[in-house]
Amino acid sequence: MADPTNHANAANPLPVATVDDVKRINPLVPMKARVTRIIEETSDVKTFCVSTIGEDGMPAAPFHTGPGQLAMLSLPGVGEAMFSATDAPDHLQISIKKVGLLTEQLHEICEGQTVGIRGPYGNGFDMEAMKGKNVLFIGGGIGLAPVRSVVRYCVDHREDYGNLHLIYGARTYDDLVFKYDLFETWPKVPDFKVSVTVDRGDDNWKGNVGFVPAFIEQLHPSPENTVCILCGPPIMIKFTLGVLDKLGFTPENVITTLEMRMKCGIGKCGRCNIGSCFVCLDGPVFSLAQLKLLPNEY
């Protein structure tokens, strides 16, 4: 006798729920994914490559993200948090600095570990609006992670953008993330200047020594037909904005990200609102002109 609770049969098989179906039922439920590769960037920053299994049985990106968009990564029994995610054909790359309980636990996992992931979240950078313009990237520390997603997009669509210039800094040479991009990949891209500085020099470093804002003044990039993408520690951003203003960059052409305080990712919990804006929905990417219209709560 057939199982009366089994409504599926060969003639009328039950439909298989897709990822979109799951999101419609409960957008807070993460997908199961697997960490396929872990890259140790520095002593406290690792890049995690996260994949699901596609219809062909091969590793696939859980979802696709635009430059500057975010993903919520969770470790069962520990917690979840929002991180900048970089798109790749068969996985997402998420670079994480060890700063708290969840990130410390994530730094302990091995390749093959199951994690939860949901997204994508946020507006991302408006790459169409930047077409035909020069792009100045400014990053500090782990702030290079969201900047890197924009850099990679500009490199992949090199003919759409003018001159590229990256100014990046970290505390020491050992704290520089994505060294393979900084010193090998990006310097080979046509019309792409890479300028790196560290706060404290040592025997491993032969380049500039000094803070990012002072380095920008020294390099004196032109604001003409240029959009500035800025991500880094708050203190670096505070002093960098003053320098950019002196150089003549308008608030409309200075674009940054706010990535703090996001919890649910779908504008329901109210943890990330600034005035009438939700960072997880209306951001995390804002121009300086937009931020000037918001309450000073970020």
Side-chain angles (χ1 to χ4, degrees), residues 223-266:
E224 185 176 351
N225 193 38
T226 301
V227 174
C228 176
I229 306 296
L230 171 63
C231 297
I235 189 68
M236 187 207 83
I237 289 179
K238 176 183 177 180
F239 287 100
T240 296
L241 289 176
V243 174
L244 293 173
D245 183 54
K246 283 199 299 184
L247 291 174
F249 283 85
T250 62
E252 291 76 14
N253 285 324
V254 177
I255 304 171
T256 188
T257 64
L258 300 178
E259 298 184 5
M260 69 287 198
R261 302 194 303 180
M262 285 175 277
K263 186 67 176 178
C264 71
I266 57 174

Side-chain angles (χ1 to χ4, degrees), residues 271-283:
R271 290 283 299 273
C272 69
N273 69 295
I274 302 173
S276 60
C277 285
F278 289 89
V279 175
C280 65
L281 295 179
D282 305 305

